[in-house]
Amino acid sequence: MSEFELSATPPKSVRTRGSQRSIIRELLKLASKPDVISFAGGLPSPKSFPVEAIEKATDWVLEHHGAQALQYSSTEGEPALRKAIAERETELSAPVEADNIQIVSGSQQALDLIGSAYVDEGSVIAVENPTYLGALSAFKLQRPTFLTIPTDEYGLNPDKIGPEFRGIRFAYVIPTFQNPTGITLSEERRKKLAEKAREYDFWIIEDNPYGELWYDHQPPKPIRCYAPERTLTLGTFSKVLSPGFRLGYVVGPKTALDPLIVLKQAVDLHTSTFTQLISARCLDTGLMNAHMPAVRELYKTQCSCMLEALEKYFPQGTSWTKPDGGMFIWVTLPEYINTDEMMKEALDRKVAYVPGSAFYANEPELNKMRLSFVTVPPEKIDAGIKILAQLVKERIDAREAK
Amino acid sequence: MSEFELSATPPKSVRTRGSQRSIIRELLKLASKPDVISFAGGLPSPKSFPVEAIEKATDWVLEHHGAQALQYSSTEGEPALRKAIAERETELSAPVEADNIQIVSGSQQALDLIGSAYVDEGSVIAVENPTYLGALSAFKLQRPTFLTIPTDEYGLNPDKIGPEFRGIRFAYVIPTFQNPTGITLSEERRKKLAEKAREYDFWIIEDNPYGELWYDHQPPKPIRCYAPERTLTLGTFSKVLSPGFRLGYVVGPKTALDPLIVLKQAVDLHTSTFTQLISARCLDTGLMNAHMPAVRELYKTQCSCMLEALEKYFPQGTSWTKPDGGMFIWVTLPEYINTDEMMKEALDRKVAYVPGSAFYANEPELNKMRLSFVTVPPEKIDAGIKILAQLVKERIDAREAK
């Protein structure tokens, strides 16, 4: 196919000329080599997948609703799944009905649809600092202006939200086991954020992929509970059932879901009927409730293991978050250590992480890194953290030798 | 949830303020009532779904590759599926490798990604007249200017393509069993279109969802065979395996796929690993080849049945296409009959079709309608066409009485 390789492309749109491959996706390629200890991925542990239960659910769906499962569906989503999610969300947070649920092809699609529906070039949207890089990629397609919400060790600080938030399109936040920091916002701050949203009349986009991955106690209720009239909450099955299904949902006022439906019709018609019905069956048979304790226990153990290794190996002058759930630890190194630059050497020594710079909308902080502890076996967590600690020590020593 | 109902939305983007729900999707809702004979849908016949074979393939995938099938995947698509599609495309059309295949969440997503990657506001893109309304919805998100390619009873006429095509972003065409007309472009016209594309230096986006649904003989080769260096061809599993999988693909030069990958990372990360691996298994086990003859026979019979009914009931002054494959017949009524207006009465009499006006990028023709023959049982096809014929006759009689 040499002529293929030589050829060009149709004339590119301004959007495409500006966009680049996601750093995390490119890193994942290098990090996915079998000899690399990768703390880079946001992948859930495959040990957490209920393969047999999914096989049972699939067989049941094909036997009882085969023609429906393989046919086109509505853009809003399968009624059975919307109902099951509404019941679950009602139980876990605040009352909603099936009409308040929009099914999407993974919560990444929700981010894209929300950006497309509610952001124009130059629109101001607020994000935490740092925030999920996939959200930045999705929102950046619209070329907005980012306003960063000031944060401290307890997460975003609503007291610092002032009149500059009036008129913004929305504030995007991950209040529970945040990506990348692992920090959980207190109930008090959630309430205050809801008050500020009312005071300055802005909407909240609440991303909640990790809420069910708590270790010892449930996190505070979603922000949606405190400002239901101006919050869209994003949920996903990727962290609790299967990311391979590409199944997520948006919860919120029907009026605010309607523009997303119009766009979704144009961008992919609807989400897979097949995976929707299988997931509905998994919810209806109580699989999620039966399955989650084991996932929580697994992740808690993995997290403890990494925290112990950090404590054991990492030198003075470094610090890290201690999450109560989720998948990530956020490490702060001395200010003169650049984790972008350190990454190449880490990969040479067969360890991977995500450099902190990827998670900033505006000015990046360069001395941070995100570590995921969920997929690497305990003995390799220890070995990988030891190697990272060595890299850091070498840089501290070099600095002190000057 | 009364407070939800009363609430507004975040400030809407210009795109959302301009866009509307797809007519076809809204119609499908009315048309899907059980007492309506619907010729409106583009749904394949559920009789064509190989439910048992899919169940077997699913069990195999979960048993042999369970953890992989439920995990995140790469944006390009699962290697096993890309390889299987490349082999099939090589066999059916012209040689390609796995790297020339990009997996998408239904070919509707390919239309959206192509629009997003290659169209800016005001860019000129060429479409057939009439063309697939879902392509118009996807492309319209970018607010382009549409240039219509002149057509006659044999489809688009490449001889009419002149210098006004120079500098356009691309020409979007459905050369085989076109939607909505059912017309197939001859080999000669395909070659000439390829020549014109070279002469005026434009790309071709070739949508080929129906190519395998031929009745008596295979259609001419895809246009990609005649201009591989400047064609992206869209394929889908929706018409030959299951639309509920939401699985499609783009075939073409790697350089032109790259911008789509960058965008797909941001809009949904990747397509369902689960349905990709099941489909790869279906291809590898020869299911498609074993399964297609029965689907072709079914659709051919359904098509003949509708053509007979049209012949039997439709009055003088009407005409329709006689497709050699695919799912649609395109009916032309006397110029004074407006099928948009007739639709309400048709639904009152429990018959549905898609008004022709939905398929035009610019000035619509109002005396056309698209009829799908694939899902309605033969006796109902006869009854439904009889009712439509009556509606048409009433309008002709009213006109003649004046």
Side-chain angles (χ1 to χ4, degrees), chain A residues 1 3-5 7-17 19-22 25-26 29 42-46 49-51 54-55 58-59 62-63 66-67 69-76 95-97 100 105 108-109 112 116-120 132 134 137-138 141-142 168-169 203 224 228-229 238-239 242-246 252-256 258-259 261-263 265-275 278 375, chain B residues 1 3-5 7-17 19-22 25-26 29 42-46 49-51 54-55 58-59 62-63 66-67 69-76 95-97 100 105 108-109 112 116-120 132 134 137-138 141-142 168-169 203 224 228-229 238-239 242-246 252-256 258-259 261-263 265-275 278 375:
Chain A
M1 300 311 312
E3 76 184 308
F4 271 24
E5 298 315 316
S7 67
T9 73
K12 284 186 188 175
S13 66
V14 173
R15 172 182 296 127
T16 301
R17 274 178 264 156
S19 65
Q20 288 167 351
R21 288 188 176 221
S22 140
R25 304 288 301 176
E26 296 306 306
K29 280 186 194 164
L43 284 68
S45 171
F49 299 154
V51 179
I54 286 174
E55 187 168 340
T58 305
D59 288 349
L62 284 172
E63 272 154 38
L70 302 177
Q71 187 56 286
Y72 283 110
S73 175
S74 70
T75 306
E76 291 84 347
V96 275
E97 289 163 15
N100 300 110
S105 305
Q108 185 70 30
Q109 185 183 51
D112 176 53
S116 187
Y118 296 124
V119 183
D120 288 306
Y132 170 50
S137 306
L141 292 177
Q142 315 303 332
I168 66 170
R169 295 300 174 102
W203 277 66
R224 186 171 66 74
E229 84 289 359
S238 293
K239 307 302 186 285
S242 157
F245 278 8
R246 307 308 304 129
K254 199 179 169 312
T255 45
D258 279 341
I261 299 170
V262 175
L263 288 168
Q265 284 179 349
V267 307
D268 72 354
L269 295 182
H270 68 84
T271 294
S272 167
T273 327
F274 188 57
T275 56
I278 296 167
T375 37
Chain B
M1 300 308 311
E3 76 184 310
F4 271 22
E5 298 314 317
S7 67
T9 73
K12 285 185 188 176
S13 66
V14 173
R15 171 181 296 126
T16 301
R17 274 177 265 156
S19 66
Q20 288 167 352
R21 287 186 175 224
S22 140
R25 303 289 299 174
E26 296 305 306
K29 279 188 195 164
L43 285 69
S45 170
F49 299 152
V51 179
I54 287 174
E55 187 168 340
T58 305
D59 288 348
L62 284 173
E63 271 155 37
L70 301 178
Q71 188 56 284
Y72 284 109
S73 174
S74 70
T75 305
E76 291 84 348
V96 274
E97 288 164 18
N100 300 111
S105 305
Q108 184 69 32
Q109 187 184 50
D112 176 54
S116 187
Y118 296 124
V119 182
D120 287 306
Y132 170 50
S137 306
L141 292 178
Q142 315 304 331
I168 67 170
R169 296 299 174 103
W203 277 66
R224 185 171 68 75
E229 84 289 0
S238 293
K239 307 302 186 285
S242 157
F245 278 10
R246 307 308 305 127
K254 199 179 168 313
T255 45
D258 278 341
I261 300 170
V262 175
L263 288 169
Q265 284 179 348
V267 307
D268 73 353
L269 295 181
H270 67 84
T271 293
S272 167
T273 327
F274 188 57
T275 56
I278 295 168
T375 37

Side-chain angles (χ1 to χ4, degrees), chain A residues 312-341:
Chain A
K312 188 157 119 195
Y313 298 116
F314 262 53
Q316 278 240 319
T318 62
S319 62
W320 50 87
T321 55
K322 280 109 193 151
D324 297 318
M327 301 167 63
F328 305 113
I329 292 173
W330 184 240
V331 178
T332 301
L333 304 179
E335 281 194 7
Y336 53 84
I337 297 184
N338 181 320
T339 56
D340 284 359
E341 289 170 16

Side-chain angles (χ1 to χ4, degrees), chain A residues 113-372:
Chain A
L113 294 175
I114 287 168
S116 187
Y118 296 124
V119 183
D120 288 306
E121 187 171 349
S123 302
V124 179
I125 60 181
V127 295
E128 288 163 291
N129 204 27
T131 189
Y132 170 50
L133 65 84
L136 292 176
S137 306
F139 297 151
K140 277 180 180 171
L141 292 177
Q142 315 303 332
R143 284 166 287 155
T145 300
F146 289 104
L147 179 65
T148 53
I149 314 172
T151 51
D152 57 24
E153 62 189 301
Y154 305 108
L156 73 88
N157 187 347
D159 287 330
K160 297 278 176 74
I161 290 177
E164 71 277 18
F165 279 70
R166 197 181 294 283
I168 66 170
R169 295 300 174 102
F170 56 74
Y172 167 78
V173 298
I174 312 156
T176 305
F177 316 136
Q178 207 244 14
N179 184 356
T181 65
I183 294 170
T184 297
L185 209 62
S186 68
E187 189 178 342
E188 197 195 333
R189 285 195 172 190
R190 287 169 197 238
K191 282 182 183 167
K192 202 166 270 175
L193 175 59
E195 280 163 27
K196 291 281 186 169
R198 279 202 193 95
E199 182 180 352
Y200 295 118
D201 193 22
F202 63 85
W203 277 66
I204 297 167
I205 309 300
E206 176 185 39
D207 201 354
N208 188 26
Y210 316 110
E212 306 225 28
L213 300 175
W214 47 269
Y215 304 153
D216 293 312
H217 48 82
Q218 272 192 279
K221 291 198 166 194
I223 289 168
R224 186 171 66 74
C225 301
Y226 308 112
E229 84 289 359
R230 55 177 65 250
T231 303
L232 289 175
T233 300
L234 278 52
T236 176
F237 288 88
S238 293
K239 307 302 186 285
V240 294
L241 194 64
S242 157
F245 278 8
R246 307 308 304 129
L247 207 54
Y249 53 93
V250 187
V251 189
K254 199 179 169 312
T255 45
L257 297 180
D258 279 341
L260 307 184
I261 299 170
V262 175
L263 288 168
K264 189 168 163 65
Q265 284 179 349
V267 307
D268 72 354
L269 295 182
H270 68 84
T271 294
S272 167
T273 327
F274 188 57
T275 56
Q276 284 190 66
L277 289 183
I278 296 167
S279 301
R281 177 68 179 170
C282 289
L283 282 176
D284 288 344
T285 53
L287 172 66
M288 300 280 271
N289 288 334
H291 171 61
M292 284 315 297
V295 181
R296 288 180 194 125
E297 195 55 39
L298 172 69
Y299 284 23
K300 181 185 166 181
T301 308
Q302 297 275 125
C303 182
S304 300
C305 174
M306 185 174 278
L307 288 172
E308 270 169 36
L310 285 164
E311 202 65 58
K312 188 157 119 195
Y313 298 116
F314 262 53
Q316 278 240 319
T318 62
S319 62
W320 50 87
T321 55
K322 280 109 193 151
D324 297 318
M327 301 167 63
F328 305 113
I329 292 173
W330 184 240
V331 178
T332 301
L333 304 179
E335 281 194 7
Y336 53 84
I337 297 184
N338 181 320
T339 56
D340 284 359
E341 289 170 16
M342 195 172 77
M343 184 63 187
K344 211 202 141 297
E345 208 169 324
L347 280 171
D348 285 345
R349 299 194 201 177
K350 308 295 179 195
V351 183
Y353 58 84
V354 184
S357 63
F359 301 96
Y360 292 85
N362 298 319
E363 206 54 46
E365 295 183 25
L366 299 172
N367 60 324
K368 313 272 185 173
M369 57 181 174
R370 191 193 76 177
L371 303 179
S372 165

Side-chain angles (χ1 to χ4, degrees), chain B residues 151-362:
Chain B
T151 51
D152 57 24
E153 60 189 302
Y154 306 107
L156 73 88
N157 187 346
D159 288 330
K160 298 277 175 73
I161 289 177
E164 71 276 20
F165 279 71
R166 196 182 294 284
I168 67 170
R169 296 299 174 103
F170 55 74
Y172 168 77
V173 297
I174 312 156
T176 305
F177 317 135
Q178 205 243 14
N179 184 356
T181 66
I183 293 170
T184 297
L185 209 62
S186 68
E187 188 177 343
E188 196 195 334
R189 285 195 172 189
R190 288 170 197 237
K191 283 182 182 165
K192 202 165 270 174
L193 176 59
E195 282 163 26
K196 292 281 186 170
R198 279 203 194 93
E199 183 180 352
Y200 294 118
D201 193 22
F202 62 86
W203 277 66
I204 297 167
I205 308 299
E206 176 185 41
D207 201 354
N208 188 26
Y210 316 110
E212 306 225 28
L213 300 175
W214 47 269
Y215 304 153
D216 294 313
H217 47 83
Q218 272 192 282
K221 290 199 167 193
I223 289 168
R224 185 171 68 75
C225 302
Y226 308 112
E229 84 289 0
R230 54 178 65 251
T231 303
L232 290 175
T233 299
L234 278 51
T236 176
F237 288 89
S238 293
K239 307 302 186 285
V240 294
L241 193 64
S242 157
F245 278 10
R246 307 308 305 127
L247 207 54
Y249 53 93
V250 187
V251 190
K254 199 179 168 313
T255 45
L257 297 179
D258 278 341
L260 307 184
I261 300 170
V262 175
L263 288 169
K264 189 169 162 63
Q265 284 179 348
V267 307
D268 73 353
L269 295 181
H270 67 84
T271 293
S272 167
T273 327
F274 188 57
T275 56
Q276 284 190 66
L277 289 183
I278 295 168
S279 301
R281 176 69 180 169
C282 289
L283 283 175
D284 288 344
T285 54
L287 172 67
M288 301 279 271
N289 288 334
H291 171 60
M292 284 315 297
V295 180
R296 288 181 192 123
E297 195 54 39
L298 172 70
Y299 284 22
K300 182 186 167 181
T301 308
Q302 297 276 124
C303 182
S304 300
C305 175
M306 185 173 278
L307 288 172
E308 272 170 36
L310 284 164
E311 203 63 59
K312 189 158 118 197
Y313 298 116
F314 261 54
Q316 278 240 316
T318 62
S319 63
W320 50 89
T321 55
K322 281 109 192 152
D324 297 319
M327 302 168 63
F328 306 113
I329 292 173
W330 184 240
V331 179
T332 301
L333 304 179
E335 281 194 7
Y336 53 84
I337 297 184
N338 181 320
T339 56
D340 284 359
E341 289 169 16
M342 196 172 77
M343 184 63 186
K344 210 204 142 295
E345 208 169 324
L347 280 171
D348 285 345
R349 299 193 201 177
K350 310 292 180 198
V351 183
Y353 59 85
V354 184
S357 63
F359 301 95
Y360 292 85
N362 297 320

